[in-house]
Amino acid sequence: TEQTWTTPLRLTRRRLGNVEAQLPLPPAGVALRLRTDDAATMSALDARAAELASALEAANLKLTGLVVERQHD
C-alpha cells in the first residue's frame, strides 16, 4: 500500500482571517481541504482556485482536489 503524507496548516491573516488547511500529498499530487470561519474568505479561495492550481503546477505539484468549507467550532 502507498502511504500518504499529510500535514495540517493553520494561518491567521489580516485579510483572510483564520484558515485551516489539510494537505495530503499522495504520489499523484496534492489534494487540499481548506476551512475558514469567514464567508468572504470562502468566496475568495473558491474564486482563485484556478490560480492556485497553476501555481502548484509551476512547482511540479498537480492539484488533484480542492475543497473549501466552513470551519465549525
Side-chain angles (χ1 to χ4, degrees):
T1 61
E2 292 181 351
Q3 290 188 337
T4 299
W5 180 75
T6 302
T7 189
L9 175 65
R10 290 187 180 98
L11 303 170
T12 301
R13 304 294 303 166
R14 188 174 345 143
R15 287 181 42 196
L16 294 177
N18 297 322
V19 177
E20 180 181 306
Q22 291 291 325
L23 295 101
L25 290 168
V30 62
L32 296 175
R33 177 177 299 273
L34 304 174
R35 294 184 181 112
T36 181
D37 53 7
D38 184 78
T41 298
M42 284 181 63
S43 294
L45 291 170
D46 274 333
R48 300 190 73 181
E51 187 177 336
L52 175 60
S54 293
L56 290 170
E57 189 98 11
N60 293 322
L61 286 171
K62 181 179 179 185
L63 183 61
T64 59
L66 175 63
V67 175
V68 179
E69 61 190 9
R70 187 81 175 193
Q71 181 176 335
H72 300 286
D73 294 329

